[in-house]
Amino acid sequence: MFNPKIKQHTKIFSIFSLITLSTIFFIIQGDHVIHHDSLILHATKKEGLVMLQAQRSTLSRIDHNVKPLISMQEEKLDEVDYANPKVLVAPFNLNKEQRITWFKENLQEFKILKPNKLAKQFHTRIHKFLKNDSCESQFFMTWISSSSSFGEREFLSIESVFKVQPKACLTILSRSLDSIHGYKILKPFIDKGFKVQAIAPNLPFLFKDTLAESWLHELMKGKQDPGEIPLFQNLSNLIRLVVLYKYGGVYLDIDFILLKPLIGLRNCIGSQSMDYGTKHWTRLNNAVLIFDKNHPLLLKFINEFALTFDGNKWGHNGPYLVSRVVERLGEKHGLKFSILPPFAFYPADWNKISGFFKKPKDRSEAKWVEAKLRQLSGETYGIHLWNKQSSGLVIEEGSVLAKLVSNHCVTCKV
């Protein structure tokens, strides 16, 4: 016998099932929309999603048929070796043999040593980027940290380059910034029409046909002590040398503020300190390097790195390296390069840079700030901020840097 209550319950169950299925459908769709929106954050209406998926910053014509060169999952995994630098630093108090053993056990985590899909296309990509006829000059920087740790200080350095030389081409050699997240970081510059691109470096290619190639081979085979100092730091010292040797241009540390064009400078290196009595430099620095392609001094620097590498002494493979090579050459080297005085790139030494961050407390200090600004407007091309010493400092209102920074904002909305 037919029971009307059963019919009623069946109807209610059917309605409930329909509502449940609809809810699940909208949740799935909602997740898709949220995921989609997260990818096109900050993108303009003219830019397709493919711009963010493709692992390169295209500055002119966008090819909407380009497929992603690396998946989001691969990118996430690629960030692991940059997320926590301490993970890839040898434990303290190990001897040479123990450090080599540690390095061999963790070699797979040093992903920058083995080129990924993007890095294998390095030469093609960098050649395509730099052959642009509107590229007034070639700038290079390195970033061997996570993209998430790229902050305002680094952003300011890039801003200063395009403020001073708006037609420059800037290549950032970085595996972490050559990513979806890295594109978003650089997008404010790209939207302004500036030519900047992060490209994952291919170390075996860059080191090829130099002694750096054998150094890398020995390192990978566990025959080279990586040292106590983070290997990434020493790799940055080497990468800047080989990229200038193979492509030529200007290398800047990413904690350098450019104040005036470098167009008139060729084949030069800056002194960090000098004896003002004899007018002879006492130490050089590699935070700024300006050299032609295949310059013989660069090759000497590369050879010195490979032959005398010591990962346990700070600066040995960087500032001290360029200093000892040039000192050995003597005055009659015949290599056609010049050494600029400290005021060119290092107007404040590492132990005095804090003064550039502080606001004047009285009239006397205010006059010092104004005098320093007039001084910097003369023979100074830029300021090295010595991030290791100043990263914890805040640029205070009215300070030397505050006044300089106000003139170096090319992405601000007017």
Side-chain angles (χ1 to χ4, degrees), residues 88 91 94 97-110 220 222:
L88 296 181
L94 297 185
E97 289 70 24
Q98 290 171 330
R99 276 194 303 271
I100 290 176
T101 299
W102 169 86
F103 180 74
K104 290 170 67 176
E105 291 174 349
N106 291 274
L107 180 59
Q108 62 180 357
E109 301 299 330
F110 288 84
M220 299 283 282

Side-chain angles (χ1 to χ4, degrees), residues 33-94:
V33 171
I34 292 171
H35 174 68
H36 179 272
D37 288 345
S38 69
L39 285 177
I40 60 174
L41 184 64
H42 304 309
T44 64
K45 293 180 180 179
K46 294 181 180 180
E47 294 166 332
L49 177 60
V50 70
M51 288 182 64
L52 299 180
Q53 291 176 323
Q55 302 303 295
R56 60 189 180 198
S57 305
T58 306
L59 299 172
S60 52
R61 184 176 69 253
I62 303 299
D63 182 359
H64 292 276
N65 293 318
V66 174
K67 294 181 179 179
L69 298 178
I70 188 171
S71 70
M72 294 183 69
Q73 290 82 1
E74 287 176 311
E75 179 185 329
K76 190 70 176 177
L77 289 172
D78 217 32
E79 282 274 303
V80 172
D81 57 341
Y82 303 105
N84 185 359
K86 293 182 180 180
V87 173
L88 296 181
V89 178
F92 188 61
N93 279 340
L94 297 185

Side-chain angles (χ1 to χ4, degrees), residues 88-287:
L88 296 181
V89 178
F92 188 61
N93 279 340
L94 297 185
N95 59 35
K96 177 180 177 180
E97 289 70 24
Q98 290 171 330
R99 276 194 303 271
I100 290 176
T101 299
W102 169 86
F103 180 74
K104 290 170 67 176
E105 291 174 349
N106 291 274
L107 180 59
Q108 62 180 357
E109 301 299 330
F110 288 84
K111 296 181 176 63
I112 192 173
L113 299 176
K114 297 180 179 180
N116 62 1
K117 294 178 182 177
L118 293 177
K120 288 178 180 179
Q121 301 178 37
F122 175 79
H123 179 66
T124 300
R125 297 174 69 203
I126 199 169
H127 179 71
K128 181 178 181 181
F129 179 60
L130 295 179
K131 74 176 183 179
N132 195 320
D133 293 335
S134 61
C135 183
E136 184 180 65
S137 52
Q138 297 177 182
F139 281 79
F140 296 95
M141 292 179 173
T142 61
W143 183 253
I144 312 183
S145 298
S146 68
S147 59
S148 59
S149 63
F150 195 93
E152 293 181 0
R153 184 76 66 88
E154 293 75 29
F155 201 83
L156 176 61
S157 181
I158 297 176
E159 282 191 317
S160 73
V161 170
F162 291 121
K163 174 67 176 181
V164 175
Q165 294 189 222
K167 294 184 179 180
C169 290
L170 170 60
T171 303
I172 304 177
L173 302 170
S174 173
R175 184 152 165 165
S176 62
L177 288 179
D178 195 0
S179 63
I180 296 171
H181 186 230
Y183 173 83
K184 292 178 183 179
I185 291 172
L186 299 177
K187 190 173 182 299
F189 298 105
I190 296 168
D191 286 346
K192 289 283 186 178
F194 298 118
K195 303 172 188 66
V196 56
Q197 182 169 359
I199 301 180
N202 183 341
L203 299 194
F205 169 79
L206 282 170
F207 297 172
K208 189 174 178 58
D209 298 326
T210 71
L211 290 185
E213 183 178 20
S214 59
W215 173 83
L216 180 62
H217 179 76
E218 293 289 300
L219 181 72
M220 299 283 282
K221 292 295 184 181
K223 298 180 180 179
Q224 179 72 251
D225 180 7
E228 296 178 350
I229 295 170
L231 182 61
F232 289 147
Q233 181 178 317
N234 283 314
L235 283 174
S236 176
N237 285 322
L238 182 55
I239 290 171
R240 70 189 67 182
L241 299 176
V242 292
V243 77
L244 285 185
Y245 183 68
K246 295 209 168 181
Y247 297 97
V250 179
Y251 169 81
L252 296 180
D253 267 2
I254 209 160
D255 60 346
F256 188 87
I257 305 299
L258 195 62
L259 299 179
K260 60 192 296 186
L262 303 176
I263 296 174
L265 299 180
R266 282 186 63 192
N267 301 321
C268 57
I269 187 171
S271 59
Q272 177 183 327
S273 59
M274 68 181 297
D275 183 328
Y276 287 94
T278 63
K279 302 296 182 181
H280 188 271
W281 62 269
T282 55
R283 180 180 297 175
L284 305 181
N285 199 289
N286 64 340

Side-chain angles (χ1 to χ4, degrees), residues 152-154 156 255-257 348-361 365 368-369 372-373 376 383-405:
E152 293 181 0
R153 184 76 66 88
E154 293 75 29
L156 176 61
D255 60 346
F256 188 87
I257 305 299
D349 208 350
W350 64 270
N351 57 353
K352 296 180 180 179
I353 190 63
S354 60
F356 280 52
F357 286 79
K358 297 177 180 178
K359 66 179 179 181
K361 297 178 180 178
E365 290 186 1
W368 178 86
V369 168
K372 184 59 66 175
L373 289 170
L376 293 173
I383 303 173
H384 188 216
L385 298 184
W386 306 101
N387 258 0
K388 189 173 182 180
Q389 283 71 34
S390 69
S391 59
L393 300 178
V394 175
I395 300 177
E396 299 177 1
E397 185 178 356
S399 65
V400 172
L401 280 175
K403 291 181 178 294
L404 291 174
V405 166

